[in-house]
Coordinates of all heavy atoms in Angstrom, one line a residue:
N1 N -9.8 15.9 23.4 CA -10.1 16.7 22.2 C -11.1 15.9 21.3 O -10.7 14.8 20.8 CB -8.8 17.0 21.5 CG -9.0 17.9 20.3 OD1 -10.1 18.3 19.9 ND2 -7.9 18.2 19.6
D2 N -12.3 16.4 21.1 CA -13.3 15.6 20.3 C -13.3 16.1 18.8 O -14.0 15.5 18.0 CB -14.7 15.9 20.9 CG -14.9 15.2 22.2 OD1 -14.1 14.3 22.5 OD2 -15.8 15.6 22.9
R3 N -12.4 17.0 18.5 CA -12.4 17.5 17.1 C -11.5 16.6 16.3 O -10.3 16.2 16.7 CB -11.8 18.9 17.1 CG -11.9 19.5 15.7 CD -11.6 21.0 15.8 NE -11.7 21.5 14.4 CZ -10.9 22.4 14.0 NH1 -10.1 23.0 14.8 NH2 -11.0 22.8 12.7
L4 N -12.0 16.1 15.1 CA -11.2 15.3 14.3 C -10.2 16.1 13.4 O -10.6 17.2 13.0 CB -12.1 14.4 13.4 CG -13.1 13.5 14.0 CD1 -14.0 12.8 13.0 CD2 -12.3 12.4 14.8
S5 N -9.1 15.5 13.1 CA -8.1 16.1 12.3 C -8.0 15.3 11.0 O -8.4 14.1 10.9 CB -6.7 16.1 12.9 OG -6.8 16.9 14.1
A6 N -7.6 15.9 9.9 CA -7.5 15.3 8.6 C -6.0 14.8 8.4 O -5.1 15.5 8.7 CB -7.9 16.2 7.5
Y7 N -5.9 13.6 7.9 CA -4.6 13.0 7.6 C -4.6 12.5 6.2 O -5.6 12.0 5.7 CB -4.3 11.9 8.6 CG -4.2 12.3 10.0 CD1 -5.3 12.4 10.8 CD2 -3.0 12.7 10.5 CE1 -5.2 12.8 12.1 CE2 -2.9 13.2 11.8 CZ -4.0 13.2 12.6 OH -3.9 13.7 13.9
S8 N -3.4 12.5 5.6 CA -3.2 12.0 4.2 C -2.6 10.6 4.4 O -1.7 10.4 5.1 CB -2.3 12.9 3.5 OG -1.9 12.2 2.3
G9 N -3.2 9.6 3.7 CA -2.7 8.3 3.7 C -2.2 7.9 2.4 O -2.9 8.0 1.4
K10 N -1.0 7.4 2.3 CA -0.5 6.8 1.0 C -0.2 5.3 1.3 O 0.6 5.0 2.2 CB 0.8 7.5 0.6 CG 0.6 8.9 0.2 CD 1.9 9.6 -0.2 CE 1.7 11.0 -0.6 NZ 2.9 11.7 -1.0
L11 N -0.9 4.5 0.5 CA -0.8 3.0 0.7 C -0.2 2.4 -0.5 O -0.5 2.8 -1.7 CB -2.2 2.4 1.0 CG -2.9 2.8 2.2 CD1 -3.4 4.2 2.2 CD2 -4.0 1.8 2.5
I12 N 0.7 1.5 -0.3 CA 1.3 0.7 -1.4 C 1.0 -0.7 -1.2 O 1.3 -1.3 -0.1 CB 2.9 0.9 -1.5 CG1 3.2 2.4 -1.6 CG2 3.5 0.1 -2.6 CD1 2.8 3.0 -2.9
I13 N 0.4 -1.4 -2.1 CA 0.1 -2.8 -2.0 C 0.7 -3.5 -3.2 O 0.5 -3.1 -4.4 CB -1.4 -3.0 -2.1 CG1 -2.1 -2.3 -0.9 CG2 -1.8 -4.5 -2.1 CD1 -3.6 -2.3 -0.9
A14 N 1.6 -4.4 -3.0 CA 2.4 -5.1 -4.0 C 2.3 -6.6 -3.9 O 2.1 -7.1 -2.8 CB 3.8 -4.6 -4.0
S15 N 2.5 -7.3 -5.0 CA 2.5 -8.7 -5.0 C 3.8 -9.2 -4.4 O 4.8 -8.6 -4.4 CB 2.3 -9.3 -6.4 OG 3.4 -8.9 -7.2
E16 N 3.7 -10.4 -3.7 CA 4.9 -11.0 -3.2 C 5.8 -11.4 -4.4 O 5.3 -11.6 -5.5 CB 4.5 -12.3 -2.4 CG 3.7 -12.0 -1.1 CD 4.6 -11.3 0.0 OE1 5.8 -11.3 -0.1 OE2 4.0 -10.9 1.0
K17 N 7.0 -11.6 -4.1 CA 8.0 -11.9 -5.2 C 7.6 -13.2 -5.9 O 7.8 -13.2 -7.1 CB 9.4 -12.0 -4.6 CG 10.5 -12.2 -5.6 CD 11.8 -12.2 -5.0 CE 12.9 -12.4 -6.1 NZ 14.2 -12.4 -5.6
I18 N 7.1 -14.2 -5.2 CA 6.8 -15.4 -5.9 C 5.6 -15.3 -6.9 O 5.4 -16.1 -7.8 CB 6.4 -16.5 -4.9 CG1 5.2 -16.1 -4.1 CG2 7.6 -16.9 -4.0 CD1 4.6 -17.2 -3.2
N19 N 4.9 -14.1 -6.9 CA 3.8 -13.9 -7.8 C 4.1 -12.9 -8.9 O 3.2 -12.3 -9.4 CB 2.6 -13.5 -7.0 CG 2.1 -14.5 -6.1 OD1 2.0 -15.7 -6.5 ND2 1.8 -14.2 -4.9
T20 N 5.4 -12.8 -9.3 CA 5.7 -11.9 -10.4 C 5.1 -12.4 -11.7 O 4.8 -13.6 -11.8 CB 7.2 -11.7 -10.5 OG1 7.8 -13.0 -10.8 CG2 7.8 -11.1 -9.3
N21 N 5.0 -11.5 -12.6 CA 4.4 -11.9 -13.9 C 5.5 -12.3 -14.8 O 6.2 -11.4 -15.4 CB 3.6 -10.7 -14.4 CG 2.9 -10.9 -15.7 OD1 3.3 -11.8 -16.5 ND2 1.8 -10.2 -15.9
P22 N 5.7 -13.6 -15.1 CA 6.8 -14.0 -16.0 C 6.7 -13.5 -17.4 O 7.7 -13.2 -18.0 CB 6.7 -15.6 -15.9 CG 5.4 -15.9 -15.3 CD 4.9 -14.7 -14.6
T23 N 5.5 -13.3 -17.9 CA 5.4 -12.8 -19.3 C 5.9 -11.4 -19.3 O 6.6 -11.0 -20.2 CB 3.9 -12.9 -19.7 OG1 3.4 -14.2 -19.6 CG2 3.7 -12.3 -21.1
M24 N 5.5 -10.6 -18.3 CA 6.0 -9.2 -18.3 C 7.5 -9.2 -18.1 O 8.2 -8.4 -18.7 CB 5.2 -8.4 -17.2 CG 5.6 -6.9 -17.2 SD 4.7 -6.0 -16.0 CE 3.1 -5.9 -16.8
D25 N 8.0 -10.0 -17.1 CA 9.4 -10.1 -16.9 C 10.2 -10.4 -18.2 O 11.1 -9.7 -18.5 CB 9.8 -11.2 -15.9 CG 9.6 -10.7 -14.4 OD1 9.4 -9.5 -14.2 OD2 9.8 -11.6 -13.6
T26 N 9.7 -11.3 -18.9 CA 10.4 -11.7 -20.2 C 10.3 -10.6 -21.2 O 11.3 -10.3 -21.8 CB 9.7 -13.0 -20.8 OG1 9.8 -14.0 -19.8 CG2 10.4 -13.4 -22.1
A27 N 9.2 -10.0 -21.3 CA 9.0 -8.9 -22.3 C 9.9 -7.7 -22.0 O 10.6 -7.1 -22.8 CB 7.6 -8.4 -22.4
L28 N 10.0 -7.3 -20.7 CA 10.9 -6.2 -20.3 C 12.3 -6.6 -20.4 O 13.1 -5.7 -20.7 CB 10.5 -5.7 -18.9 CG 9.2 -4.9 -18.8 CD1 8.8 -4.7 -17.3 CD2 9.4 -3.6 -19.5
V29 N 12.7 -7.8 -20.0 CA 14.1 -8.2 -20.1 C 14.5 -8.2 -21.5 O 15.6 -7.8 -21.9 CB 14.3 -9.6 -19.4 CG1 15.7 -10.1 -19.8 CG2 14.2 -9.4 -17.9
N30 N 13.6 -8.6 -22.5 CA 14.0 -8.5 -23.9 C 14.1 -7.1 -24.4 O 14.9 -6.8 -25.2 CB 12.9 -9.2 -24.7 CG 13.0 -10.7 -24.5 OD1 14.0 -11.3 -24.2 ND2 11.9 -11.4 -24.8
A31 N 13.3 -6.2 -23.8 CA 13.4 -4.8 -24.2 C 14.5 -4.0 -23.5 O 15.2 -3.2 -24.1 CB 12.1 -4.1 -23.9
V32 N 14.7 -4.3 -22.2 CA 15.7 -3.6 -21.4 C 16.4 -4.7 -20.6 O 15.8 -5.2 -19.7 CB 15.1 -2.5 -20.5 CG1 16.1 -1.8 -19.7 CG2 14.2 -1.6 -21.3
T33 N 17.7 -4.9 -20.8 CA 18.3 -6.1 -20.2 C 18.6 -6.0 -18.7 O 18.9 -6.9 -18.0 CB 19.6 -6.3 -20.9 OG1 20.5 -5.2 -20.8 CG2 19.4 -6.7 -22.3
N34 N 18.5 -4.8 -18.1 CA 18.8 -4.7 -16.6 C 17.6 -4.6 -15.7 O 17.6 -4.0 -14.7 CB 19.8 -3.5 -16.4 CG 19.1 -2.2 -16.8 OD1 18.1 -2.2 -17.5 ND2 19.7 -1.1 -16.4
I35 N 16.5 -5.1 -16.1 CA 15.2 -5.1 -15.3 C 14.8 -6.6 -15.1 O 14.8 -7.4 -16.0 CB 14.1 -4.4 -16.1 CG1 14.4 -3.0 -16.3 CG2 12.8 -4.6 -15.3 CD1 13.3 -2.2 -17.1
S36 N 14.5 -6.9 -13.8 CA 14.0 -8.2 -13.4 C 13.1 -8.1 -12.2 O 13.1 -7.0 -11.6 CB 15.1 -9.2 -13.2 OG 15.9 -8.7 -12.1
N37 N 12.5 -9.2 -11.8 CA 11.6 -9.2 -10.6 C 10.6 -8.1 -10.6 O 10.5 -7.4 -9.6 CB 12.5 -9.2 -9.3 CG 13.3 -10.5 -9.2 OD1 12.9 -11.5 -9.6 ND2 14.6 -10.3 -8.7
I38 N 9.8 -8.0 -11.6 CA 8.8 -7.0 -11.7 C 7.6 -7.4 -10.8 O 7.2 -8.6 -10.8 CB 8.3 -6.7 -13.1 CG1 9.4 -6.0 -13.9 CG2 7.1 -5.9 -13.2 CD1 10.1 -6.9 -14.9
R39 N 7.1 -6.5 -10.0 CA 5.9 -6.8 -9.2 C 4.8 -5.8 -9.6 O 5.0 -4.6 -9.7 CB 6.3 -6.6 -7.7 CG 7.4 -7.6 -7.3 CD 7.7 -7.4 -5.8 NE 8.9 -8.2 -5.6 CZ 9.5 -8.3 -4.4 NH1 9.0 -7.5 -3.4 NH2 10.5 -9.0 -4.2
I40 N 3.6 -6.3 -9.7 CA 2.5 -5.5 -10.0 C 1.8 -5.1 -8.7 O 1.8 -5.9 -7.7 CB 1.4 -6.4 -10.8 CG1 2.1 -6.9 -12.1 CG2 0.2 -5.5 -11.1 CD1 2.6 -5.9 -13.0
G41 N 1.4 -3.9 -8.6 CA 0.8 -3.4 -7.3 C -0.2 -2.3 -7.5 O -0.5 -1.9 -8.6
K42 N -0.6 -1.8 -6.4 CA -1.6 -0.7 -6.3 C -1.0 0.5 -5.5 O -0.4 0.2 -4.4 CB -2.9 -1.1 -5.7 CG -3.6 -2.2 -6.5 CD -4.7 -2.8 -5.7 CE -4.3 -4.1 -5.0 NZ -5.4 -4.8 -4.4
H43 N -1.2 1.7 -5.9 CA -0.8 2.9 -5.1 C -2.1 3.6 -4.8 O -2.8 4.0 -5.7 CB 0.1 3.8 -5.9 CG 0.5 5.0 -5.2 ND1 0.7 6.2 -5.9 CD2 0.6 5.3 -3.9 CE1 1.0 7.1 -5.0 NE2 0.9 6.6 -3.8
I44 N -2.5 3.7 -3.5 CA -3.8 4.2 -3.1 C -3.5 5.4 -2.2 O -2.7 5.3 -1.3 CB -4.6 3.1 -2.4 CG1 -4.8 1.9 -3.3 CG2 -5.9 3.7 -1.8 CD1 -5.4 0.7 -2.6
T45 N -4.2 6.5 -2.5 CA -4.2 7.6 -1.6 C -5.5 7.9 -1.0 O -6.6 7.6 -1.6 CB -3.7 8.9 -2.3 OG1 -4.6 9.2 -3.3 CG2 -2.3 8.8 -2.8
M46 N -5.6 8.3 0.2 CA -6.9 8.6 0.9 C -6.7 9.7 1.9 O -5.6 9.9 2.4 CB -7.4 7.3 1.5 CG -6.6 6.7 2.6 SD -7.2 5.3 3.5 CE -7.4 4.1 2.2
E47 N -7.8 10.3 2.3 CA -7.9 11.2 3.4 C -8.6 10.5 4.5 O -9.7 9.9 4.3 CB -8.6 12.5 3.0 CG -7.8 13.3 2.1 CD -8.4 14.7 1.7 OE1 -9.3 15.1 2.5 OE2 -7.9 15.3 0.8
I48 N -8.1 10.6 5.7 CA -8.6 9.9 6.9 C -8.9 11.0 8.0 O -8.0 11.8 8.3 CB -7.6 8.9 7.5 CG1 -7.3 7.8 6.4 CG2 -8.2 8.3 8.7 CD1 -6.1 6.9 6.8
E49 N -10.1 11.0 8.5 CA -10.4 11.9 9.6 C -10.3 11.0 10.9 O -10.9 10.0 11.0 CB -11.8 12.4 9.5 CG -11.9 13.4 8.4 CD -13.3 14.1 8.4 OE1 -14.2 13.8 9.2 OE2 -13.5 15.0 7.5
A50 N -9.5 11.5 11.8 CA -9.2 10.8 13.1 C -8.8 11.7 14.2 O -8.4 12.9 13.9 CB -8.1 9.8 12.8
N51 N -8.9 11.3 15.4 CA -8.5 12.1 16.6 C -7.0 12.3 16.6 O -6.6 13.4 17.0 CB -9.0 11.4 17.9 CG -10.5 11.5 18.0 OD1 -11.1 12.6 17.8 ND2 -11.1 10.5 18.5
T52 N -6.2 11.3 16.3 CA -4.8 11.4 16.4 C -4.2 10.7 15.2 O -4.8 9.9 14.4 CB -4.3 10.7 17.6 OG1 -4.5 9.3 17.5 CG2 -4.9 11.2 18.9
E53 N -2.9 11.0 15.0 CA -2.2 10.3 13.9 C -2.1 8.8 14.1 O -2.3 8.0 13.1 CB -0.7 10.9 13.8 CG 0.0 10.4 12.5 CD 1.3 11.2 12.3 OE1 1.4 12.3 12.8 OE2 2.1 10.6 11.6
Q54 N -2.0 8.4 15.3 CA -2.0 6.9 15.6 C -3.4 6.3 15.2 O -3.4 5.2 14.7 CB -1.8 6.7 17.1 CG -1.7 5.2 17.5 CD -1.3 5.0 18.9 OE1 -1.4 5.9 19.8 NE2 -0.9 3.8 19.3
D55 N -4.5 7.0 15.5 CA -5.8 6.5 15.1 C -5.9 6.4 13.6 O -6.5 5.5 13.0 CB -6.9 7.4 15.6 CG -7.1 7.2 17.1 OD1 -6.6 6.3 17.7 OD2 -7.8 8.1 17.7
A56 N -5.3 7.4 12.9 CA -5.3 7.3 11.4 C -4.5 6.2 10.9 O -4.9 5.5 9.9 CB -4.8 8.7 10.8
E57 N -3.4 5.8 11.6 CA -2.6 4.7 11.2 C -3.4 3.4 11.4 O -3.3 2.5 10.5 CB -1.3 4.6 12.0 CG -0.3 5.7 11.6 CD 0.9 5.7 12.4 OE1 1.0 5.0 13.4 OE2 1.8 6.6 12.1
I58 N -4.1 3.3 12.5 CA -5.0 2.1 12.7 C -6.0 2.0 11.6 O -6.3 0.9 11.1 CB -5.6 2.2 14.1 CG1 -4.5 2.1 15.2 CG2 -6.7 1.2 14.3 CD1 -5.0 2.4 16.6
T59 N -6.6 3.1 11.2 CA -7.6 3.0 10.2 C -7.0 2.6 8.8 O -7.6 1.7 8.1 CB -8.3 4.4 10.0 OG1 -8.9 4.8 11.2 CG2 -9.3 4.4 8.8
A60 N -5.8 3.1 8.5 CA -5.1 2.7 7.3 C -4.8 1.2 7.3 O -5.0 0.5 6.3 CB -3.9 3.5 7.1
K61 N -4.3 0.7 8.4 CA -3.9 -0.7 8.6 C -5.2 -1.6 8.5 O -5.2 -2.6 7.7 CB -3.3 -0.9 9.9 CG -2.8 -2.4 10.2 CD -2.1 -2.6 11.5 CE -1.8 -4.0 11.6 NZ -1.1 -4.3 12.9
E62 N -6.3 -1.2 9.1 CA -7.5 -2.0 9.0 C -8.0 -2.0 7.6 O -8.5 -3.0 7.2 CB -8.5 -1.5 10.0 CG -8.2 -1.8 11.5 CD -9.1 -1.2 12.5 OE1 -10.0 -0.3 12.1 OE2 -9.0 -1.5 13.7
S63 N -8.0 -0.9 6.9 CA -8.4 -0.8 5.5 C -7.6 -1.8 4.7 O -8.2 -2.5 3.8 CB -8.3 0.6 5.0 OG -9.1 1.5 5.7
C64 N -6.3 -1.8 4.8 CA -5.5 -2.7 4.1 C -5.8 -4.2 4.4 O -6.0 -5.0 3.5 CB -4.0 -2.5 4.3 SG -3.4 -1.0 3.6
E65 N -5.9 -4.5 5.7 CA -6.0 -5.9 6.1 C -7.4 -6.4 5.8 O -7.6 -7.6 5.5 CB -5.7 -6.1 7.5 CG -4.2 -5.9 7.8 CD -3.8 -6.1 9.2 OE1 -4.6 -6.4 10.1 OE2 -2.5 -6.1 9.4
Q66 N -8.5 -5.6 5.9 CA -9.8 -6.1 5.8 C -10.4 -5.9 4.4 O -11.4 -6.6 4.0 CB -10.7 -5.4 6.8 CG -10.4 -5.7 8.2 CD -11.2 -4.9 9.2 OE1 -12.2 -4.3 8.9 NE2 -10.7 -4.9 10.4
L67 N -9.9 -5.0 3.5 CA -10.5 -4.7 2.3 C -9.5 -4.6 1.1 O -9.8 -5.2 0.0 CB -11.2 -3.3 2.4 CG -12.0 -2.8 1.2 CD1 -13.1 -3.7 0.8 CD2 -12.5 -1.4 1.4
L68 N -8.4 -3.9 1.2 CA -7.6 -3.6 0.1 C -6.6 -4.6 -0.3 O -6.1 -4.6 -1.5 CB -7.0 -2.2 0.3 CG -7.9 -1.0 0.6 CD1 -7.2 0.2 1.0 CD2 -8.8 -0.8 -0.6
C69 N -6.1 -5.4 0.6 CA -4.9 -6.2 0.4 C -5.3 -7.7 0.5 O -5.9 -8.1 1.5 CB -3.8 -5.9 1.4 SG -2.3 -6.8 1.2
N70 N -5.0 -8.5 -0.5 CA -5.1 -9.9 -0.4 C -3.8 -10.5 0.3 O -2.8 -10.6 -0.4 CB -5.3 -10.5 -1.7 CG -5.4 -12.0 -1.7 OD1 -5.1 -12.7 -0.7 ND2 -5.9 -12.6 -2.8
K71 N -3.8 -10.7 1.6 CA -2.6 -11.0 2.3 C -2.0 -12.4 1.9 O -0.8 -12.6 2.3 CB -2.8 -10.9 3.8 CG -3.1 -9.5 4.2 CD -3.1 -9.3 5.7 CE -3.8 -10.3 6.5 NZ -3.7 -10.1 7.9
V72 N -2.7 -13.2 1.2 CA -2.1 -14.4 0.7 C -1.1 -14.2 -0.4 O -0.1 -14.8 -0.5 CB -3.3 -15.4 0.2 CG1 -2.7 -16.6 -0.5 CG2 -4.2 -15.7 1.3
M73 N -1.4 -13.1 -1.3 CA -0.6 -12.9 -2.4 C 0.1 -11.5 -2.4 O 1.0 -11.2 -3.2 CB -1.4 -12.9 -3.7 CG -2.1 -14.3 -3.9 SD -3.3 -14.4 -5.3 CE -3.0 -12.9 -6.2
E74 N -0.2 -10.6 -1.5 CA 0.2 -9.3 -1.5 C 0.7 -8.9 -0.1 O 0.4 -9.5 0.9 CB -0.9 -8.3 -1.9 CG -1.4 -8.6 -3.2 CD -2.7 -7.7 -3.5 OE1 -3.5 -7.6 -2.7 OE2 -2.7 -7.2 -4.7
Y75 N 1.5 -7.8 0.0 CA 1.9 -7.2 1.2 C 1.6 -5.7 1.1 O 1.4 -5.2 -0.1 CB 3.4 -7.4 1.6 CG 4.4 -6.8 0.6 CD1 4.9 -5.5 0.9 CD2 4.7 -7.4 -0.6 CE1 5.8 -4.9 0.0 CE2 5.6 -6.8 -1.4 CZ 6.1 -5.6 -1.2 OH 7.0 -5.0 -2.0
Y76 N 1.6 -5.0 2.2 CA 1.3 -3.5 2.1 C 2.2 -2.7 3.0 O 2.8 -3.2 3.9 CB -0.2 -3.3 2.4 CG -0.5 -3.5 3.9 CD1 -0.3 -2.6 4.9 CD2 -1.0 -4.8 4.3 CE1 -0.6 -2.8 6.2 CE2 -1.3 -5.1 5.6 CZ -1.1 -4.1 6.5 OH -1.4 -4.3 7.9
T77 N 2.4 -1.5 2.6 CA 3.0 -0.5 3.5 C 2.2 0.8 3.4 O 1.5 1.0 2.4 CB 4.5 -0.2 3.0 OG1 4.5 0.4 1.7 CG2 5.4 -1.4 3.1
F78 N 2.3 1.6 4.4 CA 1.6 2.9 4.3 C 2.3 4.0 5.0 O 3.2 3.7 5.9 CB 0.1 2.8 4.8 CG 0.0 2.4 6.2 CD1 0.0 3.3 7.3 CD2 -0.1 1.0 6.6 CE1 -0.1 2.9 8.6 CE2 -0.2 0.7 7.9 CZ -0.2 1.6 8.9
E79 N 2.0 5.2 4.7 CA 2.5 6.4 5.3 C 1.4 7.4 5.6 O 0.5 7.6 4.8 CB 3.5 7.1 4.3 CG 4.1 8.3 4.8 CD 5.0 8.9 3.8 OE1 5.7 8.2 3.0 OE2 5.1 10.2 3.7
I80 N 1.3 7.9 6.8 CA 0.3 8.8 7.3 C 0.9 10.1 7.6 O 1.9 10.2 8.3 CB -0.5 8.2 8.5 CG1 -1.1 6.9 8.2 CG2 -1.5 9.2 9.0 CD1 -2.2 6.9 7.1
K81 N 0.4 11.2 7.1 CA 0.8 12.6 7.4 C -0.3 13.5 7.7 O -1.4 13.3 7.0 CB 1.7 13.1 6.3 CG 3.0 12.4 6.0 CD 3.7 13.1 4.9 CE 5.0 12.5 4.6 NZ 5.8 13.1 3.5
P82 N -0.2 14.4 8.6 CA -1.3 15.4 8.8 C -1.4 16.3 7.5 O -0.5 16.6 6.8 CB -0.7 16.3 9.9 CG 0.4 15.5 10.6 CD 0.9 14.6 9.5
L83 N -2.7 16.6 7.2 CA -2.9 17.5 6.1 C -2.8 19.0 6.5 O -2.9 19.3 7.6 CB -4.4 17.3 5.6 CG -4.6 16.1 4.8 CD1 -6.1 16.0 4.4 CD2 -3.7 16.1 3.5

């Protein structure tokens, strides 16, 4: 099948726990006492054209690893669904 299908990609990129923002942690803990370990991150949505859902997952993974995510300080997860 040479026809491409459209897929929706939802990507979450977040800082590792060791890179939390202590100033923000302190401010939020002072305001609301039951919050800690705040992580700053990015929520990215995209449309991917691919032959299969597996190909769309590969595209999402490559996008994260090569462009969107700094793997020294961040980790990522993603979800792919047909449109």
Side-chain angles (χ1 to χ4, degrees):
N1 184 0
D2 291 341
R3 187 168 180 215
L4 296 177
S5 298
Y7 296 89
S8 168
K10 293 183 182 180
L11 293 72
I12 304 294
I13 300 171
S15 64
E16 293 288 349
K17 185 174 181 180
I18 60 172
N19 293 316
T20 58
N21 183 331
T23 303
M24 184 176 287
D25 275 355
T26 302
L28 282 171
V29 167
N30 288 338
V32 182
T33 58
N34 60 345
I35 295 177
S36 63
N37 294 323
I38 291 107
R39 298 180 189 178
I40 304 299
K42 300 172 257 188
H43 178 214
I44 301 168
T45 60
M46 62 174 63
E47 290 184 14
I48 301 169
E49 290 187 358
N51 287 318
T52 66
E53 190 168 336
Q54 183 178 15
D55 288 344
E57 289 176 356
I58 291 169
T59 298
K61 181 178 179 182
E62 289 175 350
S63 297
C64 287
E65 292 185 354
Q66 296 175 14
L67 179 65
L68 301 172
C69 181
N70 177 347
K71 294 192 315 178
V72 173
M73 300 172 15
E74 300 172 316
Y75 67 93
Y76 67 89
T77 61
F78 62 86
E79 177 183 328
I80 303 294
K81 293 183 179 180
L83 284 177

